[in-house]
mmCIF file of all heavy atoms in Angstrom:
data_model
loop_
_atom_site.group_PDB
_atom_site.id
_atom_site.type_symbol
_atom_site.label_atom_id
_atom_site.label_comp_id
_atom_site.label_asym_id
_atom_site.label_seq_id
_atom_site.Cartn_x
_atom_site.Cartn_y
_atom_site.Cartn_z
ATOM 1 N N HIS A 17 54.462 -48.697 -15.474
ATOM 2 C CA HIS A 17 53.788 -49.137 -16.689
ATOM 3 C C HIS A 17 52.694 -48.144 -17.077
ATOM 4 O O HIS A 17 52.521 -47.833 -18.251
ATOM 5 C CB HIS A 17 53.184 -50.530 -16.497
ATOM 6 C CG HIS A 17 54.198 -51.616 -16.335
ATOM 7 N ND1 HIS A 17 54.941 -51.774 -15.197
ATOM 8 C CD2 HIS A 17 54.585 -52.593 -17.184
ATOM 9 C CE1 HIS A 17 55.745 -52.802 -15.342
ATOM 10 N NE2 HIS A 17 55.551 -53.322 -16.543
ATOM 11 N N VAL A 18 51.973 -47.641 -16.086
ATOM 12 C CA VAL A 18 50.921 -46.655 -16.329
ATOM 13 C C VAL A 18 51.522 -45.380 -16.924
ATOM 14 O O VAL A 18 50.995 -44.812 -17.884
ATOM 15 C CB VAL A 18 50.150 -46.334 -15.021
ATOM 16 C CG1 VAL A 18 49.171 -45.197 -15.228
ATOM 17 C CG2 VAL A 18 49.455 -47.568 -14.503
ATOM 18 N N VAL A 19 52.629 -44.941 -16.375
ATOM 19 C CA VAL A 19 53.300 -43.736 -16.867
ATOM 20 C C VAL A 19 53.772 -43.947 -18.309
ATOM 21 O O VAL A 19 53.598 -43.067 -19.161
ATOM 22 C CB VAL A 19 54.482 -43.349 -15.947
ATOM 23 C CG1 VAL A 19 55.319 -42.246 -16.563
ATOM 24 C CG2 VAL A 19 53.967 -42.938 -14.577
ATOM 25 N N LYS A 20 54.361 -45.107 -18.603
ATOM 26 C CA LYS A 20 54.812 -45.388 -19.972
ATOM 27 C C LYS A 20 53.632 -45.395 -20.942
ATOM 28 O O LYS A 20 53.724 -44.877 -22.047
ATOM 29 C CB LYS A 20 55.537 -46.734 -20.039
ATOM 30 C CG LYS A 20 56.880 -46.750 -19.338
ATOM 31 C CD LYS A 20 57.967 -46.193 -20.222
ATOM 32 C CE LYS A 20 59.266 -46.058 -19.467
ATOM 33 N NZ LYS A 20 60.182 -47.135 -19.568
ATOM 34 N N PHE A 21 52.519 -45.992 -20.522
ATOM 35 C CA PHE A 21 51.330 -46.011 -21.376
ATOM 36 C C PHE A 21 50.863 -44.590 -21.656
ATOM 37 O O PHE A 21 50.584 -44.234 -22.793
ATOM 38 C CB PHE A 21 50.197 -46.816 -20.731
ATOM 39 C CG PHE A 21 48.998 -46.947 -21.620
ATOM 40 C CD1 PHE A 21 48.830 -48.075 -22.392
ATOM 41 C CD2 PHE A 21 48.037 -45.940 -21.692
ATOM 42 C CE1 PHE A 21 47.728 -48.198 -23.239
ATOM 43 C CE2 PHE A 21 46.941 -46.057 -22.527
ATOM 44 C CZ PHE A 21 46.791 -47.183 -23.295
ATOM 45 N N ARG A 22 50.790 -43.790 -20.622
ATOM 46 C CA ARG A 22 50.349 -42.404 -20.786
ATOM 47 C C ARG A 22 51.256 -41.635 -21.734
ATOM 48 O O ARG A 22 50.792 -40.934 -22.625
ATOM 49 C CB ARG A 22 50.302 -41.691 -19.435
ATOM 50 C CG ARG A 22 49.801 -40.261 -19.535
ATOM 51 C CD ARG A 22 50.130 -39.477 -18.252
ATOM 52 N NE ARG A 22 50.015 -38.071 -18.463
ATOM 53 C CZ ARG A 22 50.927 -37.299 -19.041
ATOM 54 N NH1 ARG A 22 52.041 -37.803 -19.491
ATOM 55 N NH2 ARG A 22 50.734 -35.999 -19.186
ATOM 56 N N ASN A 23 52.557 -41.758 -21.551
ATOM 57 C CA ASN A 23 53.507 -41.080 -22.424
ATOM 58 C C ASN A 23 53.360 -41.547 -23.873
ATOM 59 O O ASN A 23 53.396 -40.737 -24.797
ATOM 60 C CB ASN A 23 54.941 -41.304 -21.948
ATOM 61 C CG ASN A 23 55.228 -40.588 -20.651
ATOM 62 O OD1 ASN A 23 54.530 -39.649 -20.270
ATOM 63 N ND2 ASN A 23 56.254 -41.022 -19.942
ATOM 64 N N ALA A 24 53.197 -42.844 -24.057
ATOM 65 C CA ALA A 24 53.021 -43.392 -25.405
ATOM 66 C C ALA A 24 51.730 -42.866 -26.025
ATOM 67 O O ALA A 24 51.707 -42.483 -27.198
ATOM 68 C CB ALA A 24 53.009 -44.919 -25.341
ATOM 69 N N TYR A 25 50.680 -42.845 -25.250
ATOM 70 C CA TYR A 25 49.380 -42.383 -25.743
ATOM 71 C C TYR A 25 49.455 -40.923 -26.182
ATOM 72 O O TYR A 25 48.952 -40.547 -27.240
ATOM 73 C CB TYR A 25 48.327 -42.564 -24.655
ATOM 74 C CG TYR A 25 46.936 -42.250 -25.102
ATOM 75 C CD1 TYR A 25 46.167 -43.203 -25.764
ATOM 76 C CD2 TYR A 25 46.373 -40.995 -24.875
ATOM 77 C CE1 TYR A 25 44.874 -42.914 -26.184
ATOM 78 C CE2 TYR A 25 45.094 -40.703 -25.286
ATOM 79 C CZ TYR A 25 44.348 -41.657 -25.945
ATOM 80 O OH TYR A 25 43.081 -41.364 -26.368
ATOM 81 N N VAL A 26 50.092 -40.089 -25.389
ATOM 82 C CA VAL A 26 50.203 -38.667 -25.698
ATOM 83 C C VAL A 26 51.037 -38.445 -26.959
ATOM 84 O O VAL A 26 50.710 -37.595 -27.795
ATOM 85 C CB VAL A 26 50.804 -37.901 -24.498
ATOM 86 C CG1 VAL A 26 51.192 -36.485 -24.878
ATOM 87 C CG2 VAL A 26 49.825 -37.884 -23.340
ATOM 88 N N LYS A 27 52.103 -39.201 -27.143
ATOM 89 C CA LYS A 27 53.005 -39.023 -28.288
ATOM 90 C C LYS A 27 52.463 -39.599 -29.594
ATOM 91 O O LYS A 27 52.956 -39.283 -30.658
ATOM 92 C CB LYS A 27 54.362 -39.661 -27.984
ATOM 93 C CG LYS A 27 55.134 -38.931 -26.928
ATOM 94 C CD LYS A 27 56.459 -39.602 -26.654
ATOM 95 C CE LYS A 27 57.210 -38.849 -25.566
ATOM 96 N NZ LYS A 27 58.497 -39.475 -25.258
ATOM 97 N N THR A 28 51.457 -40.441 -29.501
ATOM 98 C CA THR A 28 50.924 -41.106 -30.687
ATOM 99 C C THR A 28 49.779 -40.297 -31.295
ATOM 100 O O THR A 28 48.835 -39.943 -30.587
ATOM 101 C CB THR A 28 50.407 -42.514 -30.315
ATOM 102 O OG1 THR A 28 51.491 -43.248 -29.734
ATOM 103 C CG2 THR A 28 49.902 -43.258 -31.533
ATOM 104 N N PRO A 29 49.859 -40.004 -32.588
ATOM 105 C CA PRO A 29 48.746 -39.279 -33.224
ATOM 106 C C PRO A 29 47.530 -40.191 -33.383
ATOM 107 O O PRO A 29 47.663 -41.420 -33.381
ATOM 108 C CB PRO A 29 49.327 -38.888 -34.593
ATOM 109 C CG PRO A 29 50.383 -39.894 -34.857
ATOM 110 C CD PRO A 29 50.934 -40.295 -33.525
ATOM 111 N N HIS A 30 46.359 -39.585 -33.524
ATOM 112 C CA HIS A 30 45.144 -40.374 -33.757
ATOM 113 C C HIS A 30 45.309 -41.198 -35.023
ATOM 114 O O HIS A 30 45.823 -40.717 -36.029
ATOM 115 C CB HIS A 30 43.918 -39.464 -33.870
ATOM 116 C CG HIS A 30 43.508 -38.898 -32.557
ATOM 117 N ND1 HIS A 30 42.822 -39.629 -31.618
ATOM 118 C CD2 HIS A 30 43.711 -37.675 -32.003
ATOM 119 C CE1 HIS A 30 42.612 -38.885 -30.553
ATOM 120 N NE2 HIS A 30 43.147 -37.697 -30.756
ATOM 121 N N GLY A 31 44.917 -42.453 -34.951
ATOM 122 C CA GLY A 31 45.085 -43.368 -36.077
ATOM 123 C C GLY A 31 46.428 -44.075 -36.071
ATOM 124 O O GLY A 31 46.643 -45.008 -36.825
ATOM 125 N N GLY A 32 47.319 -43.633 -35.198
ATOM 126 C CA GLY A 32 48.634 -44.254 -35.091
ATOM 127 C C GLY A 32 48.637 -45.379 -34.069
ATOM 128 O O GLY A 32 47.606 -45.710 -33.491
ATOM 129 N N PHE A 33 49.792 -45.956 -33.872
ATOM 130 C CA PHE A 33 49.904 -47.049 -32.911
ATOM 131 C C PHE A 33 51.214 -46.962 -32.157
ATOM 132 O O PHE A 33 52.145 -46.266 -32.572
ATOM 133 C CB PHE A 33 49.799 -48.407 -33.613
ATOM 134 C CG PHE A 33 50.980 -48.739 -34.483
ATOM 135 C CD1 PHE A 33 52.068 -49.423 -33.973
ATOM 136 C CD2 PHE A 33 51.008 -48.353 -35.809
ATOM 137 C CE1 PHE A 33 53.166 -49.726 -34.757
ATOM 138 C CE2 PHE A 33 52.092 -48.648 -36.612
ATOM 139 C CZ PHE A 33 53.172 -49.336 -36.086
ATOM 140 N N PHE A 34 51.265 -47.665 -31.040
ATOM 141 C CA PHE A 34 52.496 -47.793 -30.276
ATOM 142 C C PHE A 34 52.574 -49.194 -29.696
ATOM 143 O O PHE A 34 51.571 -49.895 -29.596
ATOM 144 C CB PHE A 34 52.612 -46.725 -29.186
ATOM 145 C CG PHE A 34 51.493 -46.708 -28.185
ATOM 146 C CD1 PHE A 34 51.591 -47.404 -26.997
ATOM 147 C CD2 PHE A 34 50.344 -45.970 -28.425
ATOM 148 C CE1 PHE A 34 50.561 -47.372 -26.055
ATOM 149 C CE2 PHE A 34 49.313 -45.920 -27.488
ATOM 150 C CZ PHE A 34 49.426 -46.625 -26.305
ATOM 151 N N ILE A 35 53.784 -49.585 -29.361
ATOM 152 C CA ILE A 35 54.040 -50.916 -28.821
ATOM 153 C C ILE A 35 54.688 -50.750 -27.446
ATOM 154 O O ILE A 35 55.623 -49.969 -27.289
ATOM 155 C CB ILE A 35 54.957 -51.734 -29.745
ATOM 156 C CG1 ILE A 35 54.249 -51.955 -31.085
ATOM 157 C CG2 ILE A 35 55.356 -53.059 -29.102
ATOM 158 C CD1 ILE A 35 55.114 -52.553 -32.163
ATOM 159 N N ILE A 36 54.156 -51.478 -26.487
ATOM 160 C CA ILE A 36 54.747 -51.506 -25.147
ATOM 161 C C ILE A 36 55.190 -52.933 -24.869
ATOM 162 O O ILE A 36 54.447 -53.879 -25.132
ATOM 163 C CB ILE A 36 53.740 -51.048 -24.076
ATOM 164 C CG1 ILE A 36 53.353 -49.587 -24.313
ATOM 165 C CG2 ILE A 36 54.323 -51.217 -22.680
ATOM 166 C CD1 ILE A 36 52.425 -49.008 -23.269
ATOM 167 N N GLU A 37 56.425 -53.072 -24.385
ATOM 168 C CA GLU A 37 56.941 -54.393 -24.059
ATOM 169 C C GLU A 37 57.378 -54.419 -22.606
ATOM 170 O O GLU A 37 57.725 -53.402 -22.030
ATOM 171 C CB GLU A 37 58.108 -54.753 -24.976
ATOM 172 C CG GLU A 37 59.275 -53.786 -24.879
ATOM 173 C CD GLU A 37 60.370 -54.068 -25.879
ATOM 174 O OE1 GLU A 37 60.204 -54.938 -26.734
ATOM 175 O OE2 GLU A 37 61.405 -53.392 -25.794
ATOM 176 N N GLY A 38 57.316 -55.611 -22.025
ATOM 177 C CA GLY A 38 57.718 -55.750 -20.636
ATOM 178 C C GLY A 38 57.925 -57.195 -20.242
ATOM 179 O O GLY A 38 57.803 -58.103 -21.064
ATOM 180 N N ASP A 39 58.233 -57.375 -18.966
ATOM 181 C CA ASP A 39 58.484 -58.725 -18.459
ATOM 182 C C ASP A 39 57.798 -58.978 -17.110
ATOM 183 O O ASP A 39 58.022 -59.989 -16.477
ATOM 184 C CB ASP A 39 59.987 -58.996 -18.347
ATOM 185 C CG ASP A 39 60.720 -57.974 -17.493
ATOM 186 O OD1 ASP A 39 60.069 -57.059 -16.940
ATOM 187 O OD2 ASP A 39 61.948 -58.083 -17.386
#
Side-chain angles (χ1 to χ4, degrees):
H17 293 73
V18 173
V19 171
K20 291 277 173 94
F21 184 96
R22 182 196 164 280
N23 291 340
Y25 186 84
V26 168
K27 291 180 181 179
T28 302
H30 287 283
F33 69 91
F34 58 94
I35 297 171
I36 296 183
E37 60 185 6
D39 56 2

